[in-house]
Amino acid sequence: MQNVKTGFNSIVKYLSTKKETGRRSIGLLVDGPNVLRKEFNVNLEEIRDVLKEYGNVKIGRVFLNQYASDKLVEAIENNGFEPIICSSDVDVRLAVEGMELVYNPTIDTIALVTRDADFKPLLNKANEHGKETILFGVEPGFSTALRNSADYVVILENNQMNYNEEEVAEKKRIQKASLNVHK
């Protein structure tokens, strides 16, 4: 049986244990059309608050398509995020902005809120360049391939945030083993 922790306070405590000396500089990108749906009830304020415990959110962008309502755009702005309205494919724009974060020397952690496996190459590139990755994935439909590409995964399901402690420990073990092989 997997040891799954749930709840906002548990996630805050979990990520706060990951603090290193100095605060992390976080770039947060949200795949709006994929996760900001009534059936998912994603709370951007909670996501931001969790990340604030871990570091400083320097960039917070929510990508929307041209059909986003004015009320949604206003709510995003009121929560301190920058809405990016895309007249073409939202995924392409988010990936381009994500690559800019990969090469931004002031950002050391990239956080994504999505369910979409299209962003697996972005996470892989971020990891390749030494960026830490945090993925907030939404169920149902959260890509397993995407989940396995991030350093830390928080699952948003049924109005709760969850993470799998055993999964995190296994990733750390694999990373340590990989570092020992390369020495």
Side-chain angles (χ1 to χ4, degrees):
M1 181 131 213
Q2 294 180 344
N3 185 13
V4 175
K5 302 287 183 176
T6 63
F8 178 75
N9 290 332
S10 175
I11 300 299
V12 168
K13 182 178 176 184
Y14 161 69
L15 282 179
S16 70
T17 65
K18 306 300 175 209
K19 291 180 186 174
E20 298 176 9
T21 54
R23 304 275 292 159
R24 309 294 289 173
S25 293
I26 302 170
L28 171 62
L29 305 176
V30 179
D31 181 3
N34 207 330
V35 297
L36 297 180
R37 299 180 183 176
K38 286 182 183 180
E39 66 263 27
F40 296 141
N41 200 25
V42 170
N43 186 330
L44 293 177
E45 186 176 358
E46 279 187 0
I47 291 170
R48 186 191 60 233
D49 290 347
V50 165
L51 289 173
K52 278 184 179 179
E53 288 296 316
Y54 186 65
N56 299 317
V57 178
K58 299 293 185 183
I59 296 171
R61 295 186 177 131
V62 179
F63 296 84
L64 303 167
N65 60 28
Q66 68 270 24
Y67 306 110
S69 72
D70 290 340
K71 286 184 178 186
L72 177 60
V73 173
E74 182 180 352
I76 288 166
E77 287 178 333
N78 288 341
N79 277 289
F81 295 101
E82 178 185 359
I84 307 291
I85 310 298
C86 305
S87 58
S88 60
D89 192 357
V90 171
D91 288 0
V92 171
R93 178 73 186 270
L94 192 151
V96 168
E97 298 270 344
M99 285 305 296
E100 287 181 4
L101 294 180
V102 167
Y103 291 103
N104 183 333
T106 63
I107 298 295
D108 47 34
T109 302
I110 298 173
L112 287 179
V113 182
T114 189
R115 303 177 311 144
D116 197 337
D118 291 345
F119 299 111
K120 184 179 179 293
L122 173 60
L123 289 174
N124 290 341
K125 192 57 75 173
N127 288 325
E128 182 182 312
H129 285 271
K131 304 290 183 174
E132 197 166 51
T133 54
I134 300 173
L135 178 61
F136 290 86
V138 181
E139 290 288 5
F142 182 29
S143 164
T144 302
L146 188 66
R147 178 185 316 213
N148 291 329
S149 298
D151 293 319
Y152 303 106
V153 178
V154 177
I155 301 165
L156 308 169
E157 183 176 28
N158 299 326
N159 299 327
Q160 283 191 332
M161 291 188 191
N162 309 307
Y163 69 94
N164 186 323
E165 203 166 317
E166 291 174 3
E167 184 178 306
V168 170
E170 177 65 13
K171 282 186 181 185
K172 282 186 174 184
R173 187 190 66 70
I174 290 169
Q175 287 173 342
K176 284 181 182 177
S178 176
L179 288 175
N180 290 334
V181 169
H182 295 305
K183 285 185 179 179

